[in-house]
Amino acid sequence: EVQLVESGGGLVKPGGSLRLSCAASGFTFSSYSMNWVRQAPGKGLEWVSSISSSSSYIYYADSVKGRFTISRDNAKNSLYLQMNSLRAEDTAVYYCARWADDRPSPFDYWGQGTLVTVSS
Amino acid sequence: DIQMTQSPSSLSASVGDRVTITCQASQDISNYLNWYQQKPGKAPKLLIYDASNLETGVPSRFSGSGSGTDFTFTISSLQPEDIATYYCQQYDNLPPLFGGGTKVEIK
């Protein structure tokens, strides 16, 4: 059974940093591209970042470019999101989501999400 | 960026009703269009991929159609457990944007 479990969320002050993790199991993690997708309270879904299976291709939404860094450790079956210079508008539930292939494709599995709150 | 316009933003229907949601892309995306269901407090779930393909395990009352710029998602007979917000999403180009969502409620 495919499982994605996020952790690392919490309350952080504006300008602060946070590192999210996603532990994957139940599939060959090293064969799939992975993503972070977020959802602000009461709002819709916003794609944040993608990373290919071997980390060769990395993409970011304009809203986080230069502040967030996606990475992965295939030996640990883990995905990460380093978030720096956090702003109030980054407050959201952050989901780890798998692409169905090692390229843009449907988000076929999602984690349960971890809440990030940016507030003074 | 390819913009996705989803309508309506909310709807109220009775159990057993046929429910239709539309999604329009700002440019041709072929069939690179997916539909997700999100229940309150839960993660989204893939229902339909590539415009019309039903994900494994998803009830057959859900269906999708369309290509190019205009797409339709249908629930043939609304059930109480279908109360959720539904999102379309394109993946023809990055960024893989989502539509604004349609909140489906029971009348």
Side-chain angles (χ1 to χ4, degrees), chain A:
Chain A
E1 179 196 5
V2 171
Q3 283 200 317
L4 299 170
V5 180
E6 301 93 337
S7 60
L11 175 63
V12 61
K13 289 181 168 53
S17 298
L18 211 55
R19 189 193 195 208
L20 306 183
S21 299
C22 172
S25 61
F27 67 102
T28 305
F29 180 72
S30 60
S31 296
Y32 292 85
S33 290
M34 298 295 297
N35 301 266
W36 290 98
V37 178
R38 69 184 180 184
Q39 186 170 36
K43 302 298 184 183
L45 299 167
E46 180 189 16
W47 168 81
V48 173
S49 183
S50 301
I51 185 168
S52 64
S53 61
S54 60
S55 304
S56 298
Y57 300 97
I58 288 176
Y59 309 99
Y60 297 100
D62 287 345
S63 57
V64 307
K65 203 172 293 183
R67 300 187 298 122
F68 289 13
T69 302
I70 191 171
S71 63
R72 64 191 294 162
D73 185 335
N74 287 343
K76 295 183 177 179
N77 290 341
S78 293
L79 174 72
Y80 306 101
L81 186 68
Q82 177 66 43
M83 303 186 295
N84 299 331
S85 303
L86 282 161
R87 306 167 180 167
E89 53 265 35
D90 295 319
T91 294
V93 173
Y94 284 73
Y95 295 102
C96 165
R98 190 184 84 166
W99 266 340
D101 204 334
D102 193 20
R103 58 181 172 81
S105 48
F107 297 103
D108 62 349
Y109 287 95
W110 300 65
Q112 85 289 349
T114 187
L115 176 63
V116 172
T117 304
V118 184
S119 174
S120 55

Side-chain angles (χ1 to χ4, degrees), chain B residues 4-107:
Chain B
M4 306 302 295
T5 304
Q6 191 174 334
S7 62
S9 56
S10 65
L11 65 88
S12 182
S14 300
V15 172
D17 281 356
R18 184 180 185 87
V19 168
T20 299
I21 299 168
T22 64
C23 186
Q24 186 171 58
S26 59
Q27 64 188 68
D28 190 335
I29 58 169
S30 184
N31 67 331
Y32 298 119
L33 190 284
N34 308 311
W35 291 96
Y36 300 86
Q37 175 192 64
Q38 186 178 32
K39 296 184 177 181
K42 300 295 186 182
K45 175 187 175 183
L46 177 64
L47 297 183
I48 303 284
Y49 63 95
D50 294 348
S52 60
N53 294 296
L54 198 65
E55 180 73 342
T56 302
V58 173
S60 59
R61 64 180 180 275
F62 296 101
S63 65
S65 64
S67 66
T69 60
D70 295 301
F71 302 87
T72 301
F73 172 81
T74 300
I75 306 173
S76 60
S77 177
L78 186 67
Q79 300 302 304
E81 60 267 31
D82 300 336
I83 299 314
T85 300
Y86 294 85
Y87 294 91
C88 63
Q89 176 250 328
Q90 70 83 21
Y91 67 99
D92 182 55
N93 280 326
L94 293 177
L97 293 179
F98 293 85
T102 297
K103 187 174 184 179
V104 175
E105 298 175 320
I106 295 287
K107 191 181 294 183

